[in-house]
Amino acid sequence: MNELINIIPNPDPLPVASGWFHFLNYLTYYLHLISVGIMFSTAVSMTFGYFKAKSDPKWEAFAKQMSKILPFSIAFAVNLGVAPLLFIQVLYGNFFYAASILIGTVWILLIVFLILGYYGSYWLVFKKEKKNGSRKYMSIFISLVLAWTGFILVNINTLMMTPGRWKSYFSHMGGTFLNIGEPTLFSRYIFYLFFLMAIGGLFIAGFYKIKPEKSESKAGTAFGSTLSGYSSFLALPSFIIFMRTLPVNIRDTFFGGDLLWTGICVVFLLCMIATGYLSLQGKVTAASIILILNLIIFVVLRGHVRYLYLERFNEKISVMGHNTQYGVMVLFFVTLAAGLGLVFWILRKVYKEVKV
């Protein structure tokens, strides 16, 4: 234990109480999760549509509609991802920084792939060629880029919570270390994929619910509901497997060791079942309300898992320093409110003026 403590960099002091940053991290990650669910599901659905277009023209219209949404969804997902990333660095910067060095080369290259994927999303919108062959391959490329991005993010987040694995740096000094040996890595990643598609599927179904005049609306609504329904049910076993692969002391907290957290975990699973059932029944509004509320539970669960991982390194976790800066925090909240208001206004303008 002393050896691990020694390899963890010393934390920087916080300008205000840590609770503020935890709240803001939860809030911004919640918004980011919704946007990522829409982004990833839009890309996957677009790919599906282009492959089905040959046999049915309505699927070509569906794919093109998804391609129009994709650039917006990527932009929102990336921008909404900046804030929770920054708050993680404020709270656990010494852990995150060490993990980012281990995975440095792959981490930097991720930016290149994201730029290419973002470019590809605009290429699909403005491409005039009628044949869908090249569109299929570009949509596959974009979907793979987004899936790879998620895989790297899961890698770095698991790596920051397991300092014991940092010694592997000496056998991967080129910044190419992937946390493949982490027991939770793949189950966590697979759960995220299904969970994100459950979110995005409901967005697609809801989008076509309010756009019934489109030729592909019926198919789009059914597809979105089905995607969300089956993804919700598939998320259940992957979540349970992920929780079962956690270290014993953490796993037991959610399996009877702590009644509060066990109960929260059960509620999360029941809500996923309800979301899946209502989605497959075509009750998009009810399923969306349950999932939106369940997202709050998930964000809190995820935060507590991280807390339990890092609890034993408590002396290396940032705490409030002597010089408080609550004025800066107030200014941040004012700026955040103004920014969210501006985003809402932009979305209204886009909805009214752009034919999506």
Side-chain angles (χ1 to χ4, degrees):
M1 182 63 181
N2 289 332
E3 183 184 354
L4 287 180
I5 289 291
N6 290 334
I7 68 173
I8 300 172
N10 291 323
D12 294 322
L14 300 177
V16 298
S18 62
W20 289 101
F21 293 110
H22 283 293
F23 167 73
L24 289 168
N25 181 44
Y26 287 172
L27 173 63
T28 53
Y29 182 71
Y30 176 85
L31 297 173
H32 174 61
L33 201 60
I34 294 173
S35 62
V36 171
I38 294 170
M39 174 189 69
F40 184 66
S41 298
T42 300
V44 171
S45 301
M46 174 185 68
T47 305
F48 177 83
Y50 278 128
F51 273 88
K52 289 276 287 182
K54 189 174 181 180
S55 59
D56 193 334
K58 70 173 178 288
W59 288 109
E60 182 176 358
F62 172 78
K64 288 183 176 179
Q65 181 62 72
M66 293 297 102
S67 71
K68 291 179 183 178
I69 296 172
L70 186 60
F72 293 102
S73 64
I74 293 176
F76 273 98
V78 171
N79 282 281
L80 286 171
V82 171
L85 187 63
L86 290 176
F87 289 126
I88 282 295
Q89 293 187 62
V90 170
L91 290 164
Y92 307 110
N94 48 336
F95 294 91
F96 189 88
Y97 178 74
S100 68
I101 294 298
L102 280 165
I103 204 172
T105 302
V106 183
W107 185 238
I108 294 297
L109 285 176
L110 197 61
I111 299 172
V112 177
F113 283 113
L114 275 174
I115 291 172
L116 291 174
Y118 193 35
Y119 170 82
S121 70
Y122 276 101
W123 181 86
L124 286 171
V125 173
F126 293 106
K127 182 175 172 57
K128 300 298 182 183
E129 182 186 324
K130 292 184 178 180
K131 295 181 180 179
N132 286 325
S134 55
R135 293 179 186 272
K136 290 179 184 178
Y137 297 116
M138 180 57 76
S139 63
I140 291 173
F141 172 73
I142 295 170
S143 298
L144 290 176
V145 164
L146 298 180
W148 175 250
T149 302
F151 183 67
I152 298 305
L153 287 170
V154 171
N155 262 273
I156 198 168
N157 276 283
T158 55
L159 197 54
M160 68 167 281
M161 295 186 293
T162 52
R165 302 187 63 80
W166 295 357
K167 291 179 288 185
S168 298
Y169 166 76
F170 296 103
S171 57
H172 299 82
M173 297 180 72
T176 57
F177 179 69
L178 294 178
N179 202 18
I180 302 298
E182 164 61 32
T184 67
L185 180 70
F186 290 102
S187 57
R188 184 191 294 254
Y189 175 63
I190 291 169
F191 162 72
Y192 264 108
L193 293 183
F194 288 133
F195 194 44
L196 292 173
M197 287 192 287
I199 296 168
L202 282 175
F203 167 79
I204 294 169
F207 173 83
Y208 280 112
K209 279 278 188 180
I210 61 174
K211 294 277 188 178
E213 72 280 0
K214 292 183 174 292
S215 61
E216 76 278 12
S217 288
K218 188 175 180 180
T221 303
F223 177 82
S225 298
T226 303
L227 177 65
S228 180
Y230 284 117
S231 296
S232 297
F233 285 127
L234 288 171
L236 292 169
S238 56
F239 177 77
I240 293 171
I241 293 170
F242 157 56
M243 297 298 281
R244 293 294 298 177
T245 53
L246 290 170
V248 176
N249 61 311
I250 299 175
R251 181 191 67 198
D252 289 348
T253 301
F254 302 98
F255 286 87
D258 186 311
L259 290 180
L260 174 61
W261 288 105
T262 300
I264 291 173
C265 201
V266 169
V267 170
F268 172 76
L269 292 171
L270 290 174
C271 286
M272 288 305 298
I273 293 172
T275 300
Y277 173 77
L278 291 170
S279 295
L280 292 176
Q281 293 295 311
K283 298 178 180 179
V284 177
T285 303
S288 299
I289 291 171
I290 291 174
L291 186 57
I292 286 171
L293 295 174
N294 204 27
L295 279 173
I296 299 173
I297 297 174
F298 172 71
V299 170
V300 173
L301 273 173
R302 177 180 178 270
H304 193 61
V305 169
R306 177 186 284 126
Y307 166 77
L308 292 174
Y309 261 103
L310 298 177
E311 186 179 23
R312 62 188 177 132
F313 308 115
N314 196 49
E315 63 187 270
K316 290 289 188 175
I317 294 177
S318 299
V319 295
M320 189 167 64
H322 297 294
N323 299 318
T324 57
Q325 300 177 28
Y326 281 101
V328 175
M329 182 60 70
V330 171
L331 179 61
F332 172 81
F333 275 112
V334 172
T335 307
L336 177 64
L340 291 175
L342 179 61
V343 168
F344 180 72
W345 177 79
I346 291 172
L347 287 174
R348 285 192 64 188
K349 294 288 286 184
V350 169
Y351 180 76
K352 288 180 179 179
E353 297 184 18
V354 179
K355 292 183 179 180
V356 293

